[in-house]
Amino acid sequence: MDNQNNKNSNKDNFVNKYNNDNNTFEHDSKLPNDIFVTPWEVQGKLGEENYAKLMEKFGTQAISTELIEKIKKITGEIHPLIKFHYFFSHRDFDWLLNKYENGESFYLYTGRGPSGLIHMGHILPWLFTRYMQDKFKSKLLFQITDDEKFLYNPDLDRDKIAEYTYENILDVIAIGFKPELTKIIVDTKHIKHLYPIATEIAKKITFSTAKAVFGFTTMTNIGMIGFPPIQAAPCFLPSIIEKKPTPVLIPAAIDQDPYWRITRDVAEKLGFYKPAQIHSKFLPGLSNSSKMSSSKPETAIFTTDEPEIVEKKVLSSFTGGQPTIDLQKKLGANANICPVFWYLKYFFDSEKASTERYYRCKSGNLLCGECKNQLAEKSKEFIIEFKKRREKARDKITDFMFE
Ligand code: TRP
């Protein structure tokens, strides 16, 4: 086909490193011991240096200045989530843009595992995906992996998963995707469209590779072991729908990367393009931890939270501040570790406002109360508006379903 990036075929390293026959997932020496990233669990505090290590470990590329210039050339602007490095890494995004410039349109593909309600951390990549859909008039496949979450989570039964599936779909629609360009795939409902291609993929992946890439052990339930081709399948579905090789771009958090590695490994053997990715960081939780977590509801702002609750959560957030006002005025505070700063930056501040905030904070001229109040107000407004859209979504579900 054409020169898609092959440098990332470091699957072999993975296999060698992890190809042990005992039941443990050996920790990767490139990452500190308290950091653990799989598609189902992210533990530890991820700072800049750890994101760089993840890129190295996964064999992805940083979003370079040249790439940013290229995006700017095509769209005339740079989305803040790229400019602020929330999307920080990619594979073949440059290749995809070349294709686009040569007249080949691409699909977007992203998804959600319905294991709980939606919080602000989840919607950030979706807002970007919507922006991409608007800019490039791309069709979007949105997969809901109800099977994956049922299989993974011992505490979730099928009824609970069905409830989250419904609730999550309302959020997806509320994002504002174009119904005529968007199809939601619910795995257990639309499996017949995925299954033929999933079996083709599955046939090309050994247990040894799956173990190495995903950290499966011999104690993992076999549903989980068989699941990855189901998440890989929508990468190739566009080519089947369009009846010609069709480029696909996946905006997703970096923890989903193992899926794309195995998909890319089999793509050319099956006659498809390798899917391109653009990887995001995680939005920090409001506590002093790595990402916003549904399992700790007080540290995340849910789209279903009442405004008073949003306010309360924000006002009791962890910050990068000093223990006392006097100390803060004297020593300044640390915006880099402050979730309030990052929420404001990613969701609400202009570039200029955010830079000013950063320096006022650092110099001790800005106190945490002020930032918290601003974030509380802005996120309340945001959630109130989002909830209205979510209510309207109830009547639109059939318009968005794959069939
Ligand atoms: N596995 C993802 C999750 O747990 C859901 C998902 C399916 C997904 N397909 C995707 C996420 C494509 C991003 C891109 O949330």
Side-chain angles (χ1 to χ4, degrees), residues 113-313:
S115 55
L117 295 170
I118 296 301
H119 57 60
M120 287 176 79
H122 298 127
I123 66 181
L124 218 38
W126 302 350
L127 292 171
F128 178 76
T129 305
R130 175 194 144 174
Y131 166 84
M132 291 294 284
Q133 177 173 72
D134 289 345
K135 276 284 148 188
F136 291 90
K137 312 271 175 294
S138 299
K139 293 183 185 164
L140 163 68
L141 295 178
F142 196 108
Q143 180 181 39
I144 309 267
T145 52
D146 56 342
D147 46 352
E148 176 191 27
K149 292 299 156 172
F150 172 71
L151 288 164
Y152 178 71
N153 203 317
D155 303 325
L156 291 175
D157 61 24
R158 292 227 44 92
D159 288 346
K160 200 69 198 162
I161 297 275
E163 188 185 318
Y164 288 139
T165 296
Y166 176 78
E167 293 296 327
N168 292 182
I169 286 173
L170 297 181
D171 291 285
V172 173
I173 296 173
I175 293 289
F177 294 118
K178 293 211 162 47
E180 66 279 15
L181 292 178
T182 305
K183 291 281 168 250
I184 298 175
I185 297 170
V186 178
D187 284 352
T188 59
K189 194 173 156 76
H190 301 119
I191 189 64
K192 72 171 184 212
H193 299 286
L194 301 177
Y195 201 59
I197 186 68
T199 55
E200 295 240 21
I201 298 163
K203 197 171 177 177
K204 299 243 174 301
I205 301 170
T206 63
F207 179 46
S208 169
T209 298
K211 246 169 99 183
V213 174
F214 293 96
F216 295 144
T217 74
T218 54
M219 294 309 290
T220 308
N221 79 57
I222 59 172
M224 284 299 290
I225 294 165
F227 170 74
I230 303 290
Q231 182 157 328
C235 299
F236 302 146
L237 207 48
S239 300
I240 294 168
I241 297 171
E242 303 296 330
K243 300 190 178 66
K244 61 169 191 227
T246 304
V248 170
L249 175 68
I250 309 171
I254 186 98
D255 62 337
Q256 296 298 307
D257 192 69
Y259 288 112
W260 321 132
R261 288 205 297 276
I262 55 151
T263 312
R264 289 172 59 89
D265 273 332
V266 304
E268 286 174 352
K269 292 178 210 158
L270 297 176
F272 299 110
Y273 290 139
K274 295 177 181 184
Q277 288 89 54
I278 171 161
H279 304 102
S280 81
K281 297 177 180 170
F282 306 107
L283 187 67
L286 294 173
S287 72
N288 186 11
S289 75
S290 71
K291 77 169 194 182
M292 234 202 235
S293 165
S294 318
S295 56
K296 286 181 250 145
E298 70 288 358
T299 73
I301 300 171
F302 291 87
T303 60
T304 43
D305 278 344
E306 292 306 324
E308 312 79 73
I309 302 289
V310 174
E311 175 160 340
K312 204 169 134 213
K313 285 179 177 174

